[in-house]
Amino acid sequence: MTETETKNLPPKAKVPVRSGDKIVEKVASVEYAAMPSCPANNDPDGDEVWCDSSQNACKGVKNAEGPLSRIFMRATKPKTPPQPWKLTKMLTCWPTEIPGGKPKLTVAMINSEFVKTPFARPQVKMEPVGNRTLANLPNFFMADFSGKGYGPGEVRDLTLLGHSVRVRPTLKSNTFHFGDGSSLGPTESRGGGYPDGDIKHAYLKRGTVSASVTTVYGGQFAVDGGEFTDLPGTATITGPAQPIQVLEAKGRLVR
């Protein structure tokens, strides 16, 4: 179903209605419920279960909040005893748009919380150590995420609309800024030390420069103990600048 079709579900439909000890089909005023379309066969009267397949089904659908959901309906009168739910053949990627629908957990909600994550600011480190080096000497750089905040792979636990949600930042890319007008990246590398590090730079003249790293974080989420699934959003974080003193070595003849 399209978003418009979901919003405009009819106020009346043919549904099962309890009449005494019997259940009969009749046209009645109805209410709707949407549940994620998962192998667990979600039921509006039970716990809502999320799964990767329902979320992935709505990827690439423009403006879709997801997850792909089955639509149920039931008669609104009489309310006592409660009327049985009828599972329809209708599926939608806009479960919050059904008429009279209750607030539902969506990927948009999770993504909104993801971008508020206190991400670890990448610290640029260099070898030789001590933030001092010589002109024309190859230096090895690396991005360090051991400071405060959530770095790549670290899990943040949330509760949203009664669901247990885990959010996990991922590393999309690093861009190393060397402070002399040059940079390297974006790259998926974190760099490393001598001799195997792949982020190297040599300064050509003496002076003091400020180096830093800009990291683009992606994200993943898992709901109610399910598997992690990619989030659509990213967050860009630039770490603090590190001053580096570049010296010149002069040769001297010694007898």
Side-chain angles (χ1 to χ4, degrees), residues 58-230:
C58 290
K59 283 185 177 180
V61 180
K62 187 177 181 180
N63 299 325
E65 294 182 332
L68 180 68
S69 299
R70 299 184 181 104
I71 295 179
F72 293 77
M73 60 183 179
R74 69 178 176 183
T76 56
K77 295 180 180 179
K79 292 187 177 181
T80 306
Q83 300 303 304
W85 287 103
K86 177 181 180 180
L87 174 61
T88 74
K89 294 182 179 180
M90 296 180 289
L91 295 169
T92 183
C93 283
W94 294 271
T96 61
E97 298 295 340
I98 63 172
K102 296 179 181 179
K104 290 259 180 198
L105 181 63
T106 66
V107 175
M109 293 178 190
I110 298 172
N111 199 62
S112 177
E113 287 298 322
F114 162 71
V115 298
K116 298 176 186 176
T117 297
F119 297 101
R121 298 180 68 195
Q123 308 280 330
V124 63
K125 293 189 175 182
M126 184 190 79
E127 288 186 1
V129 298
N131 287 6
R132 298 180 71 196
T133 187
L134 296 175
N136 299 307
L137 176 72
N139 304 285
F140 292 78
F141 291 84
M142 63 207 78
D144 178 69
F145 298 91
S146 61
K148 293 182 179 179
Y150 293 86
E154 296 181 335
V155 176
R156 179 186 175 204
D157 293 310
L158 303 168
T159 299
L160 299 175
L161 295 182
H163 292 275
S164 173
V165 180
R166 293 180 294 163
V167 173
R168 182 170 67 187
T170 61
L171 177 62
K172 287 286 189 181
S173 68
N174 288 318
T175 299
F176 292 81
H177 310 283
F178 300 116
D180 60 353
S182 60
S183 61
L184 191 157
T187 173
E188 294 181 6
S189 173
R190 300 191 189 194
Y194 174 85
D196 299 321
D198 60 345
I199 306 299
K200 293 180 283 188
H201 182 69
Y203 295 100
L204 302 182
K205 59 182 181 180
R206 65 181 298 175
T208 299
V209 298
S210 294
S212 63
V213 180
T214 296
T215 296
V216 177
Y217 282 103
Q220 297 179 321
F221 74 97
V223 178
D224 295 331
E227 296 182 357
F228 279 96
T229 301
D230 289 339

Side-chain angles (χ1 to χ4, degrees), residues 233-251:
T234 61
T236 301
I237 307 293
T238 296
Q242 294 290 335
I244 297 173
Q245 187 178 13
V246 183
L247 307 174
E248 286 184 346
K250 295 183 178 180

